[in-house]
Every structure is written in structure tokens, then in C-alpha cells.
Amino acid sequence: ATNTQPQYHDLLHCLCSQEDAICNLIYTAQNSTAYASVLQFSNNNASSSSSRTKPIAIVTPTTIPQVQSTVLCSRKHGLHLRVRSGGHDFEGASYASLSSPFLLLDLVNLRNVTVDVPSKSAWAQSGAVLAEVYHSIASASRTLAFPAGLCPTVGLGGHISGGGYGTTLRKFGMAADNIRDALLVDADGRVLDRAAMGEGVFWAIRGGGGNTYGIVVSWKLKLVRVPLRLSAFTVSRTASSDAEMTKLVDRYQRVTDKLPDDLMILVMIGAVDQGNSTKQVMYLGGKERLLRVMNESFPELGLKEEDCKEMSWIESVLHFANYPSNSTYDVLLKSRTDSPISFAKLKAKSDYVGTPLPESALQGIWSRVHQVEAGAALLHLIPHGGMMSRISDSSTPYPYRAGTVYKIQYYVAWSGEQKEVEERHLGWIRKLHEFLTPFVSKNPRGAYANSRDLDLGMNDPTGETSYEQARVWGEQYFKHNFERLARVKAAIDPSNFFRNEQSVPPLSM
Ligand code: FDA
């Protein structure tokens, strides 16, 4: 810490001399008792973050000019900067670093959301979490929605920067597909809207990774029309044997991407005593039609009328976020401090499936799921098809469009700090990933940018990573779009001021 002292004092001086008010919004590791609680406030306990460098100070701006000052001061004094919105990065990249000391710019105070019903749009600041965005939309209209993630405490800033999928993915695409405009603070401290940043940068910030092109302070969301009543519910099927489970999931993977766009069946597989599977169903319509569609396309699930629940879109948000069924949607405003989803230590990986997995792969998954204690392993199958297959694979940086049947998200969770316990769980998920190699997308193997996985590769902590080195993990997230991202990066941030373990390095020429 000693050689960071002068840098850090100069930085504080620089920030305070710009504007008095910002002095009260700085929390230093050495001098502030609130530092630990501010750092912990938006934080998902990513497994790898505990052993990494914490910020030397946290700045929590309340205005866009304060964001600009923070960028300019940290650049002037050569201090690395990271931005955090909801802090849900799976590797903690927003608040923990493998490289040099850094300043954390926390957008927790920039979370205003303004909905304009006639134009079906909303300006939402990046520090808002999804719960706050959904609450504002539902307060303004009962038939407008925004197609983004299921977890209420995910921050808008990181979520859109990496894509963002939720229960209406097959009908409306991803969050990043539904953005009309944005305000970006670049490395020169300028505030750029879509026209000023240009279409290349506007393309890159919608899914091309966070902390790379600048700081997006707010997004203009395109809201989508949803029916007053839709069907949203969870059906649990506990298979009596692995063979029965294989049969059910095999049928699922043959139909899921071909169902009507209005229907999304998200499968969650976890260990009870035997492998169990839970299907979360979202249908943008009433239950009579849903039952007809399901009985025609997926009778094996045996869906019955009593399984189906009709509700409004905002009630479906509460349902999928596990709030008790009698909750009113005002609970969303307390999601940051009182969320029904709590976090143990967590590691995630992702894969894309273009051809249904053979029985041997499914059996192999179940046997591995039985190897960890109940509740520790969870697999989500997220169907694509529908609108996702009609959006071109270079329309945004997210390349998994036509030809993707579903995405697998796999998670492992554990409690406590014991090294042996951590190693065992990390080993489990890495082995499962290795086992699936022959069965999932290849050349390159796919991965979801918002499911950050540092096992795929990392930038050099010095910031000197070459484009060729970064291709290893970059093309897994972005495929052919990676090169365009690196060229955009060279145009907007040639000095690589905004960077982290997996930011896209600049490619000039
Ligand atoms: P965080 O603040 O950690 O930021 C993530 C990355 O983006 C960091 O590199 C950060 O520096 C950068 N960044 C943040 N704000 C920025 C800004 N304003 N401008 C530029 N860069 C910025 N995903 C999904 O698609 N659907 C889902 O349903 C879920 N569900 C889910 C549940 C849980 C429990 C977790 C932990 C994660 C998810 N995710 C998800 C993944 C989630 O979308 C992903 O981790 C997002 O990047 C998190 O965004 P935050 O702003 O919360 O993270």
C-alpha cells in the first residue's frame, strides 16, 4: 500500500478540488468506518473475490458531472478505476481486482428511472437494480414491461453491458436488444449520447462487456407490450430414476426452441435425493391456450390446469424472484436490503447447445449432480429460438442466435471460508465443464459474457494483454464479433484506461 499513498492523496485532492460535495461521497479503506459496509452493500460473494485486491477508496457520485470528475482525476493520477452497478459479476470483477490498486466508482446513488408511457420508453440510470426498474414500469403502466433478468438485485449497468436474458427472451430478445439510446462517460470525461458516441460504440456497449468502453450512466429502454394477464408458474417433477429424468429432459431439448414465441420453459435441475427437475414456465397468454399448446407439443410434462397460474407481468416478476405469493410489488423497492435470494459462495459456468445432448451426456450430468451435497449444484436450461433466432448474430455483440437450442448455466454454491470446501466445489464444476466438452458448441466453445468465468482466460494484470491473447476467452463470449469489439475499443479508449481481467483490449490498424 505504501507506494499508492501519494497517488491516492493526490487523487482525493483532485476530486475535492473539482467540487466540494464529492468529498462527502468518498469512502477510503484507511479512514472511513463506512468503507466495509459500502463495499459489501452491492456484492454477490463471488467465490474468487475474497483473495483479491479491494479498492483503496470508493466514490459514490450522485451526479453525472461527479462521474466525469472521478474519471478525469483517476486518469490524471494514474489510478486504475472500476465501475460497479449491482455488484453481481460472477467473479466480482467490479469490486475486486487481480491487478494494481484501484478506485471503485460505485453507481449506487445513480438509480433514477423515468418512464414515458406514450413513447413506450424509459430512461434508467445504471445503478438501478432490476427490481427498481420493474417497479417503476409497473407503477406507470400495467401492460408495459422490460425484457431483462430474473434476479431482482442484478444491476442494470452490468446486466445490459453483458446482454441480459429473462423470462420473455424468446418473445422480445435480450435486454441489450431493447435499448434505444445511452449516456456514456468516456475516458476523456465526455458525456456521449448515441449520436455523439456513434453506432460502433453504441453497438459495443450493448453486450460487449462492462468496464471496457466507458461508464454507461444511463440507458433509454425500449419497453414492450405485455398482456394484462399471462401465465407464469413453477412445476416440480421429481424423477424416480435417472432414466426417467433423461427421458423428460431429452423431450424438452427437442421441442423447447420450437415452441411459440410466447412460451418460455426454463428448466432448473438440482439434486434432491435423486436428480430433480423444476420447470419454470412463462406464457404471455391465458392458461386455456397454454394447456392446448403444451398438450400438443410437450405432453410428457403432464401439465394440468391446477399447475397453471394467471397473473400480471409484475406479479410474474415476484413469482420468479421467489417472493411469497401474497407480496405486493412494493417489496421490490426493498430488494437491495431484503431480497428473498441470498448468496452463498458461488461459481458459475455456461455452455451453448446446438444439437440435443445424447443420453450418455444427460446421464453423465445426473451422476455428477449426485456427487455434491443436495442444494449445492444447480443447472438452468435457457431456451433460445423464437425472437432470438430472428435477430442476426452481429446485431449486438451477443452471437448465440439462430442455431442455438438452449444455453446451460451451471452453478455451484457453498458456505464458509474453508479452502478445502472451496477447492472441492470448484473442482466439481470444472470437471462437469470438461465432461460436457464433446457435446456442446465448439470452435470456439461458447460462453455467456454475463456469466463471467475467469477459468476461460484472463488479461495480463499489467494491462499489456494483446488482442491475440484475449481472443482465447473473447471469442468464446463474442465469436466473430470479438474483432469488431476490439476495433471499437481502440477508437473509444485507445489507452485501455477502462479494463479488467476480461475487458476487450484495443486493436488498432
Ligand atoms: P457489476 O456491478 O458487478 O458489474 C458487472 C460488470 O460490468 C463489471 O465488469 C463492471 O465493472 C461492469 N459495469 C457495471 N456497471 C457498469 C456501467 N454502468 N458501465 C460500464 N460497465 C459497467 N444474467 C442474466 O442475463 N439473467 C439473469 O436472470 C441473471 N441472474 C443472475 C442472478 C444472480 C444471483 C447473479 C449473481 C447474476 C445473475 N445474472 C443474470 C448475471 C448478471 O446479469 C451479470 O453478472 C451482470 O453483469 C451483473 O450486473 P451488475 O451491474 O449487477 O454487476
Side-chain angles (χ1 to χ4, degrees):
T2 32
N3 63 355
T4 66
Q5 293 283 347
Q7 245 180 343
Y8 154 81
H9 284 297
D10 291 347
L11 175 88
L12 291 189
H13 182 72
C14 176
L15 281 171
C16 292
S17 63
Q18 305 279 322
E19 195 196 317
D20 284 348
I22 205 169
C23 288
N24 303 324
L25 301 166
I26 304 171
Y27 303 86
T28 63
Q30 291 157 330
N31 300 331
S32 167
T33 45
Y35 171 90
S37 60
V38 175
L39 184 62
Q40 190 60 32
F41 187 60
S42 312
N43 182 337
N44 71 349
N45 278 338
S47 65
S48 58
S49 64
S50 46
S51 54
R52 308 208 330 249
T53 309
K54 303 280 181 295
I56 57 169
I58 308 170
V59 185
T60 57
T62 53
T63 65
I64 294 176
Q66 290 172 350
V67 175
Q68 295 171 271
S69 302
T70 308
V71 168
L72 287 173
C73 288
S74 72
R75 194 164 176 200
K76 183 170 167 200
H77 294 288
L79 192 65
H80 181 47
L81 180 80
R82 295 212 174 184
V83 57
R84 176 167 76 174
S85 289
H88 275 35
D89 189 286
F90 277 112
E91 298 277 12
S94 54
Y95 56 85
S97 158
L98 270 174
S99 54
S100 44
F102 69 101
L103 177 70
L104 173 58
L105 177 73
D106 190 338
L107 296 177
V108 65
N109 290 325
L110 287 171
R111 53 214 267 199
N112 194 38
V113 183
T114 316
V115 179
D116 184 51
V117 174
S119 68
K120 288 198 268 170
S121 56
W123 272 104
Q125 290 184 313
S126 284
V129 292
L130 296 180
E132 292 160 344
V133 176
Y134 296 156
H135 185 275
S136 298
I137 297 170
S139 304
S141 163
R142 296 180 64 203
T143 54
L144 290 178
F146 182 62
L150 292 95
C151 174
T153 45
V154 162
L156 200 61
H159 192 59
I160 300 174
S161 297
Y165 68 83
T167 52
T168 55
L169 175 79
R170 302 191 63 253
K171 174 78 173 177
F172 302 113
M174 308 185 87
D177 298 326
N178 290 281
I179 302 298
R180 293 186 201 274
D181 205 336
L183 293 181
L184 177 82
V185 174
D186 75 358
D188 294 325
R190 299 175 298 176
V191 184
L192 309 173
D193 66 2
R194 177 176 182 167
M197 75 180 85
E199 286 304 302
V201 177
F202 184 63
W203 173 82
I205 59 173
R206 289 174 295 146
N211 213 90
T212 303
Y213 315 96
I215 297 170
V216 181
V217 281
S218 63
W219 307 86
K220 188 175 186 187
L221 315 179
K222 178 179 154 204
L223 305 182
V224 297
R225 189 66 76 196
V226 287
L228 269 176
R229 308 293 297 166
L230 45 83
S231 311
F233 52 91
T234 304
V235 273
S236 220
R237 297 282 179 266
T238 305
S240 57
S241 66
D242 283 359
E244 190 187 322
M245 179 84 164
T246 301
K247 212 165 137 204
L248 201 58
V249 175
D250 183 54
R251 178 68 190 154
Y252 168 81
Q253 48 173 3
R254 289 172 199 284
V255 299
T256 193
D257 60 321
K258 299 173 198 74
L259 295 168
D261 297 5
D262 288 330
L263 180 57
M264 164 119 177
I265 308 178
L266 194 149
V267 178
M268 305 197 307
I269 300 163
V272 189
D273 291 327
Q274 287 286 318
N276 113 312
S277 97
T278 303
K279 311 251 180 324
Q280 294 204 301
V281 182
M282 172 78 162
Y283 178 61
L284 291 160
K287 61 181 179 184
E288 290 77 22
R289 239 198 95 212
L290 169 65
L291 280 165
R292 266 206 311 278
V293 173
M294 288 297 284
N295 286 333
E296 273 163 28
S297 324
F298 195 5
E300 294 80 355
L301 186 61
L303 193 69
K304 299 195 181 59
E305 192 180 347
E306 55 269 31
D307 293 322
C308 309
K309 291 199 191 88
E310 289 186 351
M311 58 186 79
S312 64
W313 169 73
I314 197 68
E315 286 164 347
S316 80
V317 166
L318 300 181
H319 173 83
F320 292 119
N322 285 338
Y323 282 98
S325 57
N326 57 355
S327 311
T328 63
Y329 75 95
D330 281 342
V331 291
L332 292 172
L333 293 178
K334 295 193 211 122
S335 64
R336 286 219 191 224
T337 48
D338 198 9
S339 167
I341 301 177
S342 63
F343 308 110
K345 298 272 180 191
L346 199 63
K347 169 82 184 167
K349 285 185 178 287
S350 57
D351 261 314
Y352 286 88
V353 175
T355 311
L357 301 184
E359 277 190 19
S360 59
L362 295 175
Q363 295 283 0
I365 297 176
W366 314 151
S367 67
R368 282 164 179 80
V369 165
H370 298 322
Q371 284 165 9
V372 280
E373 63 274 19
L378 186 62
L379 274 83
H380 282 188
L381 311 185
I382 297 122
H384 279 43
M387 176 58 110
M388 288 299 280
S389 56
R390 293 191 293 277
I391 298 176
S392 108
D393 61 7
S394 49
S395 150
T396 72
Y398 184 84
Y400 299 99
R401 305 288 185 166
T404 298
V405 177
Y406 61 95
K407 175 165 96 77
I408 313 179
Q409 272 293 133
Y410 26 132
Y411 307 99
V412 67
W414 64 97
S415 312
E417 301 294 333
Q418 270 184 317
K419 207 70 202 147
E420 178 275 322
V421 176
E422 174 173 310
E423 290 300 327
R424 185 153 44 83
H425 288 86
L426 290 176
W428 178 83
I429 200 168
R430 286 175 180 144
K431 280 200 190 114
L432 177 59
H433 189 252
E434 198 183 309
F435 166 73
L436 284 173
T437 311
F439 309 111
V440 293
S441 64
K442 305 181 181 52
N443 304 320
R445 183 176 187 166
Y448 175 40
N450 255 344
S451 179
R452 192 189 304 287
D453 178 6
L454 295 182
D455 294 347
L456 303 180
M458 270 188 275
N459 287 327
D460 191 318
T462 59
E464 296 301 321
T465 300
S466 71
Y467 170 74
E468 286 305 321
Q469 279 172 289
R471 277 179 67 187
V472 175
W473 49 265
E475 289 185 352
Q476 296 198 49
Y477 291 144
F478 307 115
K479 292 212 296 201
H480 55 281
N481 292 324
F482 183 64
E483 183 181 336
R484 183 173 174 199
L485 288 172
R487 292 191 189 284
V488 169
K489 168 74 175 174
I492 186 78
D493 181 22
S495 71
N496 204 18
F497 174 69
F498 292 107
R499 61 180 188 278
N500 62 28
E501 287 72 20
Q502 284 184 337
S503 55
V504 179
L507 175 66
S508 29
M509 96 255 144

